[in-house]
Amino acid sequence: MTALSPLVGRLMQALRCLPGVGPRSAQRMAFHLLEKDRKGAQLLVDVLSEALEKVQRCTQCRTLSETPACPICSNSRRDRSLLCIVETPADIQAIEQTADYNGLYFVLMGRLSPLDGIGPREIGLDALTHRLRTESVREVILATNPTLEGEATAHYISELMHQAGIRVTRLAHGIPMGGELEFVDSSTLSHALNGRREM
Amino acid sequence: MTALSPLVGRLMQALRCLPGVGPRSAQRMAFHLLEKDRKGAQLLVDVLSEALEKVQRCTQCRTLSETPACPICSNSRRDRSLLCIVETPADIQAIEQTADYNGLYFVLMGRLSPLDGIGPREIGLDALTHRLRTESVREVILATNPTLEGEATAHYISELMHQAGIRVTRLAHGIPMGGELEFVDSSTLSHALNGRREM
């Protein structure tokens, strides 16, 4: 790679830490940042460095936050008797956008995956049980993803909740709104059948 | 967006300066950097900030370089009588990888695009003519992309070269090696026919 300025080569390498960025995108990004958008690049340096310094996990729900308690946990108008358990901060975003939920969250920051060494401790279940013991939560809503690992995680947590005598629910699975029946996969359809409701 | 730490939101916004990164990738990247790879993120901050400070254009060929003359221009073993004209630094990379070229380069950092206000000056053609007047270049190889604008740029430069009495060539266009005839588009095929050679 003598053709390239070594520093530009190092920049390409550094950009590969971004998810989904291979050698070619990294090259395109490096040239773009240095040639077309130095202002944007400088802003990225500044904001990323500030975020690395200030953003930690919320001490209550484990989402990413620059304050010890995140905006939702510190909002006194949220219903503290409802706790929704999600895998990532992005899931909080998605649920907040429905404007249908006014409780609190707990972020696993992952899912149970014993083969990768991710057990109950790694997804914060000790913090969760401690929290449930000290706070008066009426209902826990499991909103992990409907994947194999997400389902296993939901089952594991529901066992914990049953032991603690707390009501536990799971988001409904079924045909997505606007979806067409013929294009729905059979696993979703079978969930929709089994979960059918009186009308 | 009260759900999100404002700083995390600003980081997502800043990441959108990267080419091809929309709101969802930016979100995924921000969470990944802050949650999974802080070391990589810190390295990115350091290298990008160093690159912004040090990387400029090579004074001779206009590619990105942290030294006034890039590694190729300052390499005394390169053939100074050959000059290959490319659109971007990435094209230099591609040609260097063939190991078939030992001349110098000139990087347009774009292509003629009058509607976008990109004229001969913006792609450095005044620097190019100046360079050809002061150095003894025997042949100019046009390696702009075979797009409408790349072709127009090649034609424009070939006119300049003819006026200056310098030999000018264009990369051959035709069927890519390993390509199958039936899948080659007709414009490429017509180039391949017109450019056929005795064997």
Side-chain angles (χ1 to χ4, degrees):
Chain A
M1 300 278 264
T2 51
L4 210 65
S5 150
L7 187 49
V8 178
R10 274 166 55 213
L11 177 56
M12 288 178 195
Q13 200 51 46
L15 283 163
R16 305 238 350 235
C17 77
L18 297 169
V21 173
R24 293 201 81 95
S25 328
Q27 174 168 307
R28 200 159 61 101
M29 286 176 171
F31 292 148
H32 179 88
L33 290 173
L34 293 174
E35 185 55 32
K36 302 264 154 94
D37 194 5
R38 292 205 166 217
K39 228 173 117 191
Q42 187 58 57
L43 184 72
L44 179 57
V45 164
D46 297 343
V47 176
L48 180 53
S49 126
E50 189 185 346
L52 283 171
E53 186 195 327
K54 294 185 186 163
V55 173
Q56 300 295 336
R57 284 188 185 173
C58 169
T59 51
Q60 293 173 46
C61 74
R62 294 176 25 114
T63 196
L64 294 168
S65 174
E66 66 205 87
T67 45
C70 75
I72 293 180
C73 287
S74 53
N75 183 343
S76 61
R77 279 176 302 181
R78 309 280 307 204
D79 181 350
R80 273 150 209 283
S81 69
L82 278 174
L83 189 67
C84 181
I85 298 185
V86 293
E87 294 185 16
T88 69
D91 300 327
I92 297 186
Q93 285 287 96
I95 294 175
E96 285 298 296
Q97 269 162 24
T98 68
D100 263 342
Y101 181 70
N102 194 38
L104 299 183
Y105 293 93
F106 186 84
V107 186
L108 303 173
M109 288 292 186
R111 60 213 73 95
L112 284 179
S113 180
L115 290 180
D116 304 317
I118 300 173
R121 240 187 101 79
E122 282 67 32
I123 60 171
L125 294 192
D126 41 359
L128 176 65
T129 40
H130 176 78
R131 180 165 172 179
L132 292 172
R133 223 175 286 134
T134 52
E135 293 173 29
S136 57
V137 173
R138 182 167 49 84
E139 178 180 348
V140 162
I141 303 170
L142 295 172
T144 54
N145 290 322
T147 57
L148 214 64
E149 290 171 336
E151 290 288 348
T153 307
H155 274 112
Y156 188 93
I157 297 173
S158 75
E159 283 303 313
L160 286 181
M161 298 303 109
H162 287 140
Q163 282 164 26
I166 294 169
R167 183 183 176 209
V168 54
T169 56
R170 179 106 174 94
L171 288 193
H173 295 137
I175 298 152
M177 299 304 290
E180 288 192 58
L181 219 67
E182 65 173 304
F183 300 121
V184 170
D185 65 290
S186 58
S187 151
T188 301
L189 206 50
S190 108
H191 264 98
L193 269 170
N194 291 320
R196 68 189 181 278
R197 306 212 272 169
E198 299 284 350
M199 65 172 288
Chain B
M1 298 280 267
T2 49
L4 210 65
S5 149
L7 187 49
V8 178
R10 272 166 55 212
L11 176 57
M12 287 178 196
Q13 200 52 46
L15 283 163
R16 305 243 345 240
C17 78
L18 296 169
V21 174
R24 293 201 82 95
S25 328
Q27 176 169 307
R28 199 159 60 101
M29 285 175 172
F31 292 148
H32 179 88
L33 290 173
L34 293 174
E35 185 56 32
K36 303 264 152 96
D37 194 6
R38 291 204 167 218
K39 228 173 115 191
Q42 187 58 57
L43 185 72
L44 179 57
V45 165
D46 296 343
V47 176
L48 181 53
S49 127
E50 189 185 347
L52 283 171
E53 188 194 326
K54 294 186 185 161
V55 173
Q56 299 296 335
R57 285 188 184 174
C58 168
T59 50
Q60 291 172 47
C61 74
R62 296 178 22 118
T63 196
L64 294 168
S65 174
E66 67 205 88
T67 44
C70 75
I72 293 180
C73 286
S74 53
N75 182 341
S76 61
R77 279 178 303 182
R78 309 281 304 204
D79 181 350
R80 273 150 209 281
S81 68
L82 279 175
L83 191 66
C84 181
I85 299 186
V86 295
E87 292 184 16
T88 69
D91 300 327
I92 296 187
Q93 286 286 96
I95 293 176
E96 285 298 297
Q97 270 163 23
T98 67
D100 262 342
Y101 181 70
N102 193 38
L104 299 182
Y105 292 93
F106 186 84
V107 186
L108 302 174
M109 288 292 186
R111 60 214 73 93
L112 284 179
S113 181
L115 290 179
D116 305 316
I118 300 173
R121 240 186 102 81
E122 282 68 33
I123 58 171
L125 295 192
D126 41 359
L128 176 65
T129 40
H130 177 77
R131 179 165 172 179
L132 292 172
R133 224 176 284 136
T134 52
E135 293 172 29
S136 56
V137 172
R138 182 168 49 86
E139 178 180 347
V140 163
I141 303 169
L142 295 172
T144 53
N145 289 322
T147 56
L148 214 64
E149 289 170 339
E151 290 287 348
T153 308
H155 274 113
Y156 188 93
I157 297 174
S158 75
E159 282 302 313
L160 285 182
M161 297 304 110
H162 286 140
Q163 281 164 25
I166 294 169
R167 184 182 175 208
V168 53
T169 56
R170 181 104 172 94
L171 288 193
H173 295 136
I175 298 153
M177 298 305 290
E180 289 192 59
L181 218 67
E182 66 174 304
F183 299 121
V184 170
D185 65 289
S186 57
S187 151
T188 301
L189 206 49
S190 108
H191 264 98
L193 268 172
N194 291 319
R196 68 191 182 276
R197 305 215 273 170
E198 298 285 347
M199 67 172 288

